[in-house]
Amino acid sequence: MAKGSLRVEGFEQLVQKLERMGQAGNKIANTALKESAKIVVDEQKKDAPRHSGSPSRGKKQHGYEGLQVGKIRTAKASKNKYVQIGIDGKGYDYWDIVAGVYFQHYGYHNHWNGRYYAGSLWMDKSFNKVKDKAAKVMIDHLKKELDF
């Protein structure tokens, strides 16, 4: 399983029913995926590193304000649907807002002094805090929509 992914066991019947429904089932699945992703992004916004005061270097937002639910995509090999959460790029202006929280997560090499600063992996920790809640929201939404 990929790092930062969520696998929910025991709902194969729900998936089969969605597949039989075709496009209507797709819409229900996409809504459930977006709702559960919103739970994770809301937690990431709370947990993101931040500094006090106004945004630095002339930015209009703090980095955590740029975290969002991305587009729903389908993996080519497995045909599984997924949604990117957190940092989902939209050009240079967007990157300028979220670069700080990205580097706080992954770490960075300062080319001026030659030192490497390790990241805190805060996005992974934030995801792990709410993944069970997000899975429950997804399953509850599917059950409600499918009268299961």
Side-chain angles (χ1 to χ4, degrees):
M1 182 171 11
K3 186 176 186 179
S5 63
L6 175 65
R7 183 168 184 79
V8 180
E9 301 291 335
F11 75 121
E12 289 80 16
Q13 294 164 332
L14 287 172
V15 172
Q16 289 171 355
K17 189 168 182 177
L18 284 171
E19 287 173 354
R20 287 192 302 267
M21 292 176 69
Q23 189 61 30
N26 251 347
K27 188 173 181 180
I28 292 169
N30 290 350
T31 305
L33 193 56
K34 286 270 191 181
E35 282 183 13
S36 61
K38 185 172 178 352
I39 302 248
V40 176
V41 169
D42 290 344
E43 186 65 28
Q44 283 184 343
K45 285 183 178 186
K46 289 183 214 166
D47 295 344
R50 60 190 79 199
H51 63 85
S52 60
S54 62
S56 60
R57 295 182 288 136
K59 297 179 201 173
K60 293 183 169 64
Q61 293 178 298
H62 288 284
Y64 69 91
E65 294 171 315
L67 299 173
Q68 61 194 2
V69 175
K71 292 180 181 176
I72 294 176
R73 299 180 176 122
T74 304
K76 291 179 184 175
S78 65
K79 304 294 183 208
N80 291 332
K81 288 188 173 193
Y82 68 95
V83 61
Q84 184 171 345
I85 52 177
I87 299 171
D88 189 20
K90 289 184 181 174
Y92 179 76
D93 291 337
Y94 177 74
W95 173 249
D96 195 39
I97 293 168
V98 297
V101 294
Y102 174 88
F103 290 119
Q104 288 291 326
H105 176 75
Y106 290 107
Y108 60 96
H109 183 266
N110 185 323
H111 67 279
W112 292 107
N113 65 16
R115 291 182 59 194
Y116 175 76
Y117 295 90
S120 65
L121 301 177
W122 66 268
M123 285 186 235
D124 296 341
K125 294 172 187 171
S126 185
F127 173 79
N128 287 330
K129 278 201 275 187
V130 295
K131 68 181 179 182
D132 293 333
K133 181 179 177 184
K136 183 174 177 0
V137 165
M138 186 185 316
I139 290 171
D140 289 347
H141 179 80
L142 291 173
K143 283 181 178 178
K144 183 179 103 187
E145 291 293 323
L146 299 175
D147 297 323
F148 213 69

